Amino acid sequence: MGALRRVARFASPVNRVTLALFAWRHRNEIADWGRYAARAVPKLVGGDTTDVLAEGRLRARFTGDPLTRDVAALQVEVVEGVAHLSGVVTPEVADRAIDLADDTPGIHDVRDLLGRRLPRSRR
């Protein structure tokens, strides 16, 4: 067993340092998913799976979209099929988030609480 463990350590392309670097780079996203999971547990215990699934789908779509992926200010919560989007984001991110929420199964309405800020000008 010891020899197998030594070989697996060198044969595996992912080690502890790589995992730590990955976690540090994506710490905001990991924390956001953790907060979602903590909020989802009481709902699941209470039998409310539709909102939890809809919010999970929407969060996955936000994670998969390059425009909304790393936006820490974008907050989402689904209550009774209504997606509540909040935070202060650029107009492009706000428009994309609303479009993604509109097209997500399980969400029948979107409440836009997003504040729009102008992007920084580059000199």
Side-chain angles (χ1 to χ4, degrees):
M1 187 67 158
L4 181 61
R5 199 175 292 167
R6 282 192 299 266
V7 170
R9 187 175 344 158
F10 293 109
S12 174
V14 178
N15 59 26
R16 283 182 238 161
V17 174
T18 305
L19 287 174
L21 290 173
F22 175 84
W24 180 255
R25 180 175 178 169
H26 300 286
R27 64 190 178 275
N28 292 332
E29 189 174 334
I30 292 169
D32 194 35
W33 276 101
R35 286 188 294 271
Y36 161 69
R39 275 196 338 266
V41 169
K43 291 180 182 179
L44 290 173
V45 170
D48 180 21
T49 59
T50 56
D51 285 343
V52 173
L53 291 175
E55 185 173 337
R57 285 185 198 111
L58 182 56
R59 286 179 178 279
R61 293 189 76 191
F62 284 170
T63 301
D65 188 88
L67 195 57
T68 58
R69 179 179 179 96
D70 291 325
V71 181
L74 181 60
Q75 301 297 319
V76 62
E77 186 174 1
V78 177
V79 179
E80 296 179 4
V82 179
H84 298 265
L85 304 177
S86 61
V88 179
V89 295
T90 62
E92 295 83 17
V93 171
D95 292 342
R96 184 65 181 148
I98 292 168
D99 289 343
L100 288 172
D102 277 337
D103 294 337
T104 301
I107 295 176
H108 58 77
D109 196 14
V110 178
R111 185 161 182 218
D112 180 8
L113 304 171
L114 295 168
R116 271 82 165 165
R117 66 172 164 82
L118 295 176
R120 293 183 184 174
S121 62
R122 296 182 187 220
R123 294 181 186 185

